[in-house]
Amino acid sequence: MEAAVAVFGLLFVLFVLAGVFVTVKAVKAAKAGVDRTVAQARRTVEDTTLRARQFAQPGVVGELAQLRLSLRTSMRATQEALHSGSSEDASLSEAIGLFERLSVHGHELDDELKRLEREPDRATIADRLPEFRERLERITHSAESLRWAARDRARKFADDDLASLSDQIDVESGALRHWTRVEGAEDPLREPVQERRPGQGQGQAQGSGQASAGSGNSWGPDSEDPPAITAQDPRTQPSYPWQKAPWTEETTT
């Protein structure tokens, strides 16, 4: 009795622990989903604000907004290209590591440009804009190199797979056409006549001629000709699900 109580107690504890574990996992997954949604909404709002500022505020502020928007667009596109291809190509893991190191420089530049938006000294910012453009071009050029390399690699794999698939389809198509009529054959339903051997002389030919003459049926079929093919009754032929039922004439008595 004590053993049974101990077993039930142990099972109850295990069920409680399992419930707690599942609850914690569900809470973490929900929190991650909420954080992801909030981050995506924040990025959307920031991008919309930068686009509006780019056109609504010309000058230094508009230039800074344009630089930030170009940086964010290029880095986001590269990140999506690398992560979407890494699930099918494990060789992109090293490229993802390089992109993460590049993202550090991208975040530093974006933070610096964001701070300059609140800087009151517009003249100093205008003097430093060429420096920021150069840093932006170096970062975006590296990001574009990784992005297009990943896309070219994926396209090369797709072209190789398509070429291999086309070859297999050509082979299978040739195998499916094994029934094609051979050129020079008079009748596909008739077996080719065997060639006469050199040892077969005129005696066999005369014997066959006498046999045919003695039969007295000069209008009958030749013994060497294949038998006539009788048309099959459509009612006895097998039917397929895509065919209609054969039409039969009603007979009157």
Side-chain angles (χ1 to χ4, degrees):
M1 186 64 181
E2 294 179 357
V5 173
V7 170
F8 282 115
L10 180 60
L11 291 177
F12 178 76
V13 173
L14 291 177
F15 282 134
V16 171
L17 292 177
V20 172
F21 177 77
V22 172
T23 303
V24 171
K25 294 289 290 184
V27 170
K28 288 183 178 180
K31 185 177 181 299
V34 172
D35 294 341
R36 192 182 306 111
T37 303
V38 171
Q40 184 175 0
R42 186 183 296 110
R43 287 195 300 268
T44 303
V45 172
E46 290 179 357
D47 292 344
T48 304
T49 304
L50 290 176
R51 290 189 180 93
R53 190 177 300 169
Q54 177 183 358
F55 296 104
Q57 298 180 359
V60 177
V61 178
E63 288 286 340
L64 293 175
Q66 182 181 2
L67 294 178
R68 290 188 62 195
L69 190 60
S70 300
L71 176 64
R72 294 161 67 92
T73 303
S74 178
M75 298 297 286
R76 188 178 299 121
T78 304
Q79 182 179 9
E80 292 177 356
L82 293 178
H83 285 280
S84 62
S86 61
S87 59
E88 299 178 358
D89 189 3
S91 301
L92 294 178
S93 58
E94 184 175 357
I96 293 176
L98 294 176
F99 175 75
E100 291 177 354
R101 294 173 56 187
L102 182 65
S103 298
V104 175
H105 297 277
H107 287 300
E108 291 178 354
L109 178 59
D110 184 70
D111 294 338
E112 188 172 357
L113 293 175
K114 187 176 181 179
R115 287 192 299 268
L116 291 177
E117 291 176 352
R118 299 185 295 270
E119 177 65 35
D121 189 359
R122 304 299 183 186
T124 304
I125 298 176
D127 294 337
R128 298 188 58 184
L129 280 179
E131 176 187 351
F132 294 134
R133 290 195 189 97
E134 182 181 358
R135 290 176 58 187
L136 175 66
E137 290 178 357
R138 294 175 61 183
I139 295 175
T140 54
H141 176 72
S142 300
E144 290 174 358
S145 299
L146 289 175
R147 182 171 68 251
W148 284 108
R151 291 176 178 175
D152 293 341
R153 182 180 178 85
R155 185 173 63 252
K156 181 62 171 62
F157 286 161
D159 293 341
D160 293 343
D161 183 70
L162 179 59
S164 177
L165 180 60
S166 300
D167 295 339
Q168 295 177 7
I169 291 176
D170 293 339
V171 173
E172 183 64 20
S173 299
L176 292 175
R177 293 192 180 96
H178 69 280
W179 44 263
T180 304
R181 180 175 176 178
V182 182
E183 296 182 359
E186 297 179 356
D187 190 354
L189 299 177
R190 182 174 178 178
E191 296 181 357
V193 181
Q194 296 181 358
E195 297 182 358
R196 185 175 299 174
R197 297 179 180 178
Q200 294 177 351
Q202 298 180 357
Q204 295 180 357
Q206 294 177 358
S208 60
Q210 293 176 0
S212 61
S215 61
N217 295 330
S218 58
W219 60 84
D222 193 356
S223 59
E224 295 181 358
D225 293 336
I229 300 175
T230 304
Q232 297 182 357
D233 190 352
R235 292 172 296 180
T236 62
Q237 295 181 356
S239 60
Y240 298 94
W242 59 84
Q243 292 180 341
K244 296 182 179 180
W247 178 78
T248 57
E249 298 181 355
E250 297 181 359
T251 59
T252 58
T253 56

